[in-house]
Amino acid sequence: MNNLRFKSSTASYLTAILLTGATFAAACNSAAPPRAIEDSANSTSAQRLQKSIPPRDQQAIESASNVQVTKLDGGMFKLSDFRGKVVVVDFWATYCEPCKRLVPKLAALDKKYRDRGLEVVGLTSDDKADQEKVLEFLKHAGADYTVGYENKWLASAFLKGTEDESGESPIPQLFVLSREGRLVEHMIGENPQRVKDLEQVVSQQLASR
């Protein structure tokens, strides 16, 4: 009788463990995508995050700049391909409303300074299955600059240390690389002043030789 009770108790215990594990796995599989973050006069979350992140690892960024990135059309490129130009790297996604508001402004910036040596690069965290939606949005936004899919090497080099309470790095995040590939600016979030600040940095970098 005691053996039967022991076996029954053990079976119940194992069942509970399995159910707990299944619940945990389901939660992990349904984890939310990177959270959109806004930086406005009424929200200081982006400013707090900006102040709390550690300095970017320049060596890691230089190494990641040599990693192949898949373009939306299936082609490949590397950030190092644009060495000699000032590069603005935008981590974004179509499910991120602040990101979507920023893209047309980046497109205008690209058109204004492209002939002077600016290269805007968008790195989307959209799933490849949503390629048509991404392409349609870019067309509507007038963005004809280089856009590729974010990968783990680039995310680790650029975004590591910016994770929020969800464990994900919020977007949009903007990075400006000098003509030599050195990181000179990092911005988190989107606000009306953001592109003005970005344009000032870009203009300064383009003027320096």
Side-chain angles (χ1 to χ4, degrees), residues 17-122:
I17 290 177
L18 290 172
L19 287 173
T20 301
T23 301
F24 180 76
C28 290
N29 290 334
S30 61
R35 180 173 63 85
I37 186 168
E38 297 193 47
D39 178 5
S40 67
N42 298 320
S43 175
T44 59
S45 56
Q47 292 97 320
R48 289 199 304 270
L49 180 57
Q50 186 91 52
K51 292 177 181 178
S52 66
I53 60 175
R56 303 295 84 199
D57 187 334
Q58 181 62 38
Q59 186 174 358
I61 287 175
E62 289 180 1
S63 296
S65 294
N66 291 310
V67 171
Q68 293 280 357
V69 181
T70 303
K71 296 171 68 173
L72 298 180
D73 63 7
M76 305 293 287
F77 72 94
K78 298 176 293 184
L79 291 179
S80 60
D81 292 341
F82 309 121
R83 199 62 51 84
K85 295 184 177 182
V86 175
V87 182
V88 173
V89 181
D90 174 33
F91 284 82
W92 74 290
T94 58
Y95 55 76
C96 164
E97 290 302 320
C99 299
K100 290 167 68 175
R101 290 196 296 269
L102 191 57
V103 168
K105 299 173 185 177
L106 291 177
L109 190 71
D110 172 63
K111 289 178 174 63
K112 183 175 181 178
Y113 291 99
R114 182 183 297 177
D115 291 342
R116 291 179 53 187
L118 175 65
E119 188 76 33
V120 176
V121 178

Side-chain angles (χ1 to χ4, degrees), residues 8 31 47 58 62 71 80 84 109 151 154 158 182-184 189 194:
S8 176
Q47 292 97 320
Q58 181 62 38
E62 289 180 1
K71 296 171 68 173
S80 60
L109 190 71
N151 60 49
L154 290 166
F158 284 90
R182 180 173 53 86
L183 178 64
V184 295
R194 174 66 70 235

Side-chain angles (χ1 to χ4, degrees), residues 185-196:
E185 186 61 73
H186 175 202
M187 301 175 175
I188 300 175
E190 176 265 350
N191 68 22
Q193 185 64 30
R194 174 66 70 235
V195 176
K196 292 181 180 179

Side-chain angles (χ1 to χ4, degrees), residues 128-147:
K128 290 183 179 180
D130 294 325
Q131 176 178 316
E132 290 303 318
K133 179 173 71 174
V134 176
L135 289 171
E136 182 62 27
F137 168 75
L138 292 172
K139 180 180 179 181
H140 181 73
D144 61 354
Y145 51 77
T146 301
V147 178

